[in-house]
Amino acid sequence: MRILAISGSLRQGSHNTSLLRAAEELLSPLDTLELWEGMREVPPYDQDDEVEPAPPAVAAFRAAVASADAVLIATPEYNSSIPGALKNALDWASRPIATNVFRNKPVAVIGTSSGMFGAVWAQAELRKVLAAMGARVAEVEVAVGRAQDKLDEEGNLLDDGVRAELRDALATLSSETVPALAAA
Ligand SMILES: Cc1cc2nc3c(=O)[nH]c(=O)nc-3n(C[C@H](O)[C@H](O)[C@H](O)COP(=O)(O)O)c2cc1C
C-alpha cells in the first residue's frame, strides 16, 4: 500500500506531522508513506483559475493523490474547524467534482491538538468534506489530546496507547484499499 500522508499544519515542529511520522514507523515492510510537502505552494482557490493547465502545485497535488493507494490526513483544529490551507488544497483537488482524484480514494483522518479533545471537531468536519468529494472515508478514531505530553520535542511518540490506535487505523485503511484495488 502506497500512502500519501497530508499534515494539516505547515508548522515546522507540527505535532500532526510527527503523528504521521509515527504512523510511518508502524507500516509493514511492503507499505510506504510519502509526506506531501507542497501545501504552502497551493494558491488560494479561484474558480477563474480552473483552466488547463492547473497551477503547478495543484497539478502536483492531484497527481500525488491519484498515484497513492490511500491517503492519511492528520489535522490540527483551528477555531473548531479545518485549517484553511488544508481546506484550500482539498477544494482545488475536488475539481472537477465528478472525476476528482479523491473520488473512491480510501482516506483516513486522524489528528492531534494541544487541548483535551484531539481535534475531534476538525476531524469531523474534514470527514464531512471528504465524503462530499466522494472519498471512501475509513472509520478510524485517533484523536490525540494534549499533544505536548504525547510527543517529545523531537516529535517522537511517547504513548503506546496512541501507537495501538495508529496501528488499528492503518489496518482499517489497508482493508479499504483492497476493494479499491480490486475494482481498478
Ligand atoms: C489559529 C489557531 C486556532 C486554534 N484553535 C483550536 C481549537 O479550536 N481547538 C483546539 O483544540 N486547538 C486549537 N488550537 C491549538 C492547536 O490545536 C495546536 O496548536 C496544535 O498543536 C496545532 O497542531 P500542530 O502542532 O500540528 O501545528 C488552535 C491553534 C491555532 C494556531
Side-chain angles (χ1 to χ4, degrees):
M1 171 172 66
R2 280 164 305 142
I3 300 174
L4 181 71
I6 301 174
S7 174
S9 173
L10 293 167
R11 198 167 69 84
Q12 196 123 63
S14 162
H15 293 124
N16 283 280
T17 307
S18 296
L19 199 58
L20 293 171
R21 292 289 184 212
E24 183 178 20
E25 289 176 11
L26 301 172
L27 292 178
S28 78
L30 291 178
D31 295 332
T32 61
L33 182 147
E34 179 201 344
L35 184 66
W36 179 52
E37 311 256 24
M39 193 161 75
R40 191 183 291 279
E41 279 73 53
V42 175
Y45 177 78
D46 180 344
Q47 201 169 354
D48 290 338
D49 292 342
E50 233 186 66
V51 290
E52 286 299 326
V58 172
F61 180 42
R62 287 175 176 159
V65 174
S67 66
D69 299 317
V71 177
L72 177 64
I73 308 180
T75 186
E77 186 163 284
Y78 286 175
N79 300 307
S80 306
S81 189
I82 308 166
L86 174 60
K87 177 63 164 52
N88 179 59
L90 292 175
D91 286 341
W92 272 113
S94 73
R95 309 291 288 177
I97 187 68
T99 57
N100 85 78
V101 288
F102 274 93
R103 191 163 290 283
N104 294 320
K105 186 71 65 181
V107 183
V109 172
I110 61 176
T112 183
S113 73
S114 48
M116 292 288 286
F117 301 111
V120 279
W121 287 319
Q123 291 190 48
E125 298 215 347
L126 182 52
R127 290 188 189 101
K128 182 183 73 176
V129 168
L130 290 162
M133 292 163 64
R136 188 195 297 255
V137 183
E139 289 197 18
V140 308
E141 186 70 55
V142 184
V144 184
R146 298 202 52 80
Q148 62 281 12
D149 297 342
K150 311 270 172 59
L151 294 148
D152 70 15
E153 300 264 303
E154 281 77 48
N156 300 305
L157 183 59
L158 305 172
D159 189 299
D160 283 339
V162 174
R163 196 168 283 112
E165 287 177 5
L166 284 174
R167 208 173 263 122
D168 285 351
L170 289 167
T172 302
L173 189 59
S174 176
S175 71
E176 288 288 336
T177 65
V178 174
L181 290 174

